[in-house]
C-alpha cells in the first residue's frame, strides 16, 4: 500500500510539472513595475523597488481623446503598453485605441508576441486576417458597434473603416509589449533597404514598381 501511495504521489508531481512548464511561470510577487533606467537586461524590464511604487505606475489617462488620423493611411493607434504603464510589466496584457477616418485603414500588420481581441466602439469596420502558408486563407468580417473579433498571435491582419463617418475600436493584447510589424513598412522601408532585385523576384513585378514603393517608405 505504501509503495502504491508513493507511486501516485510521484505521478501527481510529474504531471503538475509538465503542466507548469507548458505556460508562462506564475508571478513571484504582487507586481513588478518596470524600471527602464535599470541597466540589467532581462526578458522585459527589471523590477522597480516596491517601496518606491506609486499609483501613477499603474495609471494611464486620456484614452477618451481621439487620435489624429490626418495621415496617408487615415488611422491612429494610441498604445497602452508597458511603455505607458510600467505596472504592466510581467502581467502579459496591454491595449490600444484605434481611430479611423472615413475609408481609413489600419494596414496589414502582425503582432509577434501577442494575440488581439478587437471591440468596435463606434462605426463600422471590415476586419480580417490571413492564415499561414500554404493556404493563406483570408478570414474576414464586417463589424458593427459592439462587435468583437479576434486576431490570433503572429498572423497578418488589418482593419478598414467602411462606414459613413469616423470609427473607433479598442484592442486588448495578450502581451505587455506585443510589438507590431507593419508589412509594407518592414518590406519597403527597411534600413538599409532590402535589395530591389530580391523584391522584384519575391513580388514578381517590374523593378520600377519596387523602386517606387521603396521611395514611399
Amino acid at each position: 500500500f505504501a509503495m502504491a501511495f508513493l507511486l501516485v504521489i510521484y505521478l501527481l508531481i510529474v504531471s503538475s510539472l509538465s503542466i507548469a512548464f507548458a505556460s508562462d511561470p506564475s508571478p513571484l510577487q504582487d507586481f513588478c513595475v518596470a524600471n527602464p533606467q535599470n541597466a540589467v537586461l532581462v526578458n522585459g524590464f527589471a523590477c522597480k523597488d516596491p517601496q518606491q511604487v506609486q499609483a501613477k505606475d499603474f495609471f494611464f489617462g486620456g484614452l477618451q481623446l481621439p487620435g489624429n488620423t490626418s495621415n496617408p493611411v487615415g488611422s491612429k493607434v494610441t498604445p497602452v503598453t508597458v511603455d505607458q504603464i510600467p505596472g504592466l510589466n510581467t502581467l502579459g496584457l496591454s491595449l490600444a485605441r484605434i481611430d479611423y477616418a472615413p475609408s481609413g485603414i489600419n494596414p496589414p500588420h502582425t503582432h509577434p508576441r501577442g494575440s488581439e481581441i478587437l471591440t468596435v466602439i463606434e462605426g463600422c469596420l471590415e476586419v480580417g486576417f490571413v492564415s499561414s502558408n500554404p493556404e493563406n486563407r483570408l478570414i474576414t468580417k464586417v463589424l458593427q458597434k459592439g462587435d468583437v473579433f479576434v486576431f490570433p498571435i503572429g498572423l497578418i491582419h488589418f482593419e478598414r473603416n467602411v462606414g459613413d463617418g469616423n470609427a473607433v475600436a479598442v484592442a486588448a493584447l495578450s502581451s505587455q509589449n506585443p510589438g507590431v510589424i507593419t508589412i509594407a513598412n518592414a518590406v519597403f522601408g527597411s534600413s538599409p533597404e532590402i535589395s530591389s532585385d530580391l523584391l522584384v523576384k519575391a513580388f514578381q513585378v517590374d523593378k520600377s514598381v519596387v523602386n517606387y514603393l521603396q521611395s514611399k517608405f
Side-chain angles (χ1 to χ4, degrees), residues 4-54:
F5 178 78
L6 290 175
L7 180 60
V8 170
I9 295 299
Y10 173 77
L11 291 174
L12 288 173
I13 292 173
V14 170
S15 63
S16 65
L17 286 174
S18 64
I19 293 171
F21 292 148
S23 62
D24 291 338
S26 299
L28 301 179
Q29 63 280 317
D30 288 343
F31 46 77
C32 175
V33 172
N35 181 6
Q37 283 71 47
N38 195 309
V40 177
L41 298 178
V42 294
N43 189 17
F45 291 97
C47 299
K48 184 177 180 179
D49 182 347
Q51 296 303 315
Q52 297 179 6
V53 168
Q54 301 177 33

Side-chain angles (χ1 to χ4, degrees), residues 15-211:
S15 63
S16 65
L17 286 174
S18 64
I19 293 171
F21 292 148
S23 62
D24 291 338
S26 299
L28 301 179
Q29 63 280 317
D30 288 343
F31 46 77
C32 175
V33 172
N35 181 6
Q37 283 71 47
N38 195 309
V40 177
L41 298 178
V42 294
N43 189 17
F45 291 97
C47 299
K48 184 177 180 179
D49 182 347
Q51 296 303 315
Q52 297 179 6
V53 168
Q54 301 177 33
K56 66 180 183 179
D57 294 316
F58 302 92
F59 173 80
F60 176 89
L63 205 63
Q64 81 282 5
L65 301 175
N68 183 359
T69 59
S70 58
N71 53 64
V73 297
S75 71
K76 171 62 176 178
V77 177
T78 304
V80 186
T81 69
V82 68
D83 290 325
Q84 289 75 42
I85 301 182
L88 284 174
N89 194 40
T90 75
L91 298 186
L93 77 164
S94 59
L95 59 81
R97 169 180 172 140
I98 310 105
D99 289 272
Y100 312 82
S103 301
I105 66 168
N106 191 7
H109 63 282
T110 177
H111 302 292
R113 295 181 291 274
S115 297
E116 174 182 344
I117 183 166
L118 183 87
T119 303
V120 178
I121 306 301
E122 292 290 344
C124 179
L125 295 177
E126 176 192 12
V127 304
F129 65 86
V130 181
S131 68
S132 56
N133 297 349
E135 290 84 5
N136 299 125
R137 180 184 172 202
L138 173 62
I139 297 175
T140 184
K141 187 171 180 60
V142 174
L143 306 181
Q144 307 292 336
K145 180 178 179 179
D147 288 345
V148 178
F149 197 82
V150 172
F151 302 119
I153 185 172
L155 296 186
I156 294 172
H157 58 281
F158 61 87
E159 303 101 52
R160 178 167 65 119
N161 184 359
V162 293
D164 296 328
N166 295 330
V168 181
V170 171
L173 300 109
S174 62
S175 170
Q176 67 183 44
N177 182 22
V180 60
I181 301 170
T182 305
I183 308 306
N185 299 57
V187 173
F188 298 108
S190 66
S191 180
E193 290 183 346
I194 298 174
S195 166
S196 59
D197 292 335
L198 186 152
L199 295 178
V200 164
K201 286 188 176 182
F203 289 93
Q204 301 180 41
V205 296
D206 188 84
K207 190 171 183 177
S208 62
V209 176
V210 169
N211 291 338

